[in-house]
Amino acid sequence: DDDGDGDGDGDDARETDATAEEDPNAEDDPNDATAVDGKTTTSAKDASRVAASLRFIDGAIACNNPTAVGIFEARRLFDRSRPLCVVSLGTGASVPREVAASGTSRAWVENLVNATCDVVQVDATVRHVLGTRDRYHRFQPTDEIFSCDLNDTKEETRQRLRLAAARYMDEDAVSAEVEALAAVLRRS
C-alpha cells in the first residue's frame, strides 16, 4: 500500500483528484445558470454529482402556471399603461373527484401537493393581478383522460388526449373565447 490511506488499494491519487475537483460554477451567481446546467441538474440520477452552488426548483413547486411569471416579467419590462394580452394554454386537467379520507400521512402529503400545484388557484390570482385594460384568455380542457400518467406513451392515450382537446375546442364558450382573442390580435 503505497498510497498512504491504509486501505491497500493504491488509489490515493485518484481519491485525492476526485475530491479536489473544483466546481466551475462555485464563484458564479447561483441564479445565473445555463440551460445545460438545468438539464444536468434536473436529470441527474446521482445528486452528489450536481454542482452544489446551483439551485433549481421544479416548475410545479415554484409556479405551476408560468403565466403569472410572464405577467410579472412584462410588468417589470414595460410601462404599466401598456395593456397586456395574455394567452395561457393549459395542458389539460382531470375531472375533480372526491377521494375517501384515509387519515394516512401519504394522503395528507398528496393533498398538500395537490393544493400547492392547483393551477385553478394560480389562474384566479392571475385574473386578480391584471388590470381592466388587460386581456386574459385561458384555455384548459378538462377530461378524465388528463389524469393519465406523465410517462404514458400508448397510442390509445394519445388519441384520447387529442379527442378530449378537440371536444374542448368545439365547445361554444371556447369558440367564443378564440374569436374574442382573434379580435384583440387583429386590432394590435
Side-chain angles (χ1 to χ4, degrees):
D1 179 26
D2 60 358
D3 63 356
D5 68 355
D7 64 3
D9 63 5
D11 66 352
D12 240 12
R14 195 171 56 227
E15 289 171 3
T16 303
D17 289 343
T19 56
E21 285 181 24
E22 289 192 29
D23 178 359
N25 297 312
E27 300 287 319
D28 294 343
D29 177 350
N31 295 317
D32 187 21
T34 67
V36 172
D37 294 330
K39 185 213 172 285
T40 302
T41 301
T42 57
S43 62
K45 291 180 181 176
D46 180 5
S48 67
R49 301 180 70 96
V50 174
S53 64
L54 297 175
R55 300 289 182 257
F56 293 92
I57 299 174
D58 179 69
I61 301 300
C63 183
N64 201 28
N65 185 339
T67 302
V69 175
I71 291 169
F72 295 137
E73 187 70 6
R75 290 292 186 222
R76 187 181 71 78
L77 293 172
F78 303 112
D79 187 81
R80 284 188 127 343
S81 65
R82 180 180 185 169
L84 299 177
C85 178
V86 180
V87 179
S88 175
L89 303 175
T91 59
S94 62
V95 176
R97 60 181 183 266
E98 286 193 36
V99 178
S102 66
T104 65
S105 60
R106 178 184 166 112
W108 184 85
V109 169
E110 286 178 3
N111 190 37
L112 178 63
V113 169
N114 288 337
T116 59
C117 296
D118 185 358
V119 294
V120 173
Q121 295 302 321
V122 176
D123 182 58
T125 302
V126 165
R127 291 181 188 279
H128 180 73
V129 168
L130 291 171
T132 57
R133 294 181 55 224
D134 299 320
R135 296 292 167 253
Y136 179 61
H137 303 274
R138 172 77 172 155
F139 299 97
Q140 171 80 324
T142 301
D143 191 279
E144 190 56 44
I145 186 59
F146 293 110
S147 65
C148 66
D149 291 333
L150 291 176
N151 63 350
D152 184 344
T153 60
K154 294 184 290 240
E155 182 58 33
E156 176 189 353
T157 303
R158 288 195 300 265
Q159 287 177 358
R160 289 181 58 203
L161 288 166
R162 284 187 205 107
L163 285 172
R167 279 192 309 270
Y168 171 78
M169 293 305 294
D170 286 340
E171 293 175 11
D172 290 340
V174 176
S175 294
E177 186 77 11
V178 169
E179 285 300 321
L181 171 59
V184 169
L185 295 176
R186 281 192 294 268
R187 287 191 302 260
S188 297

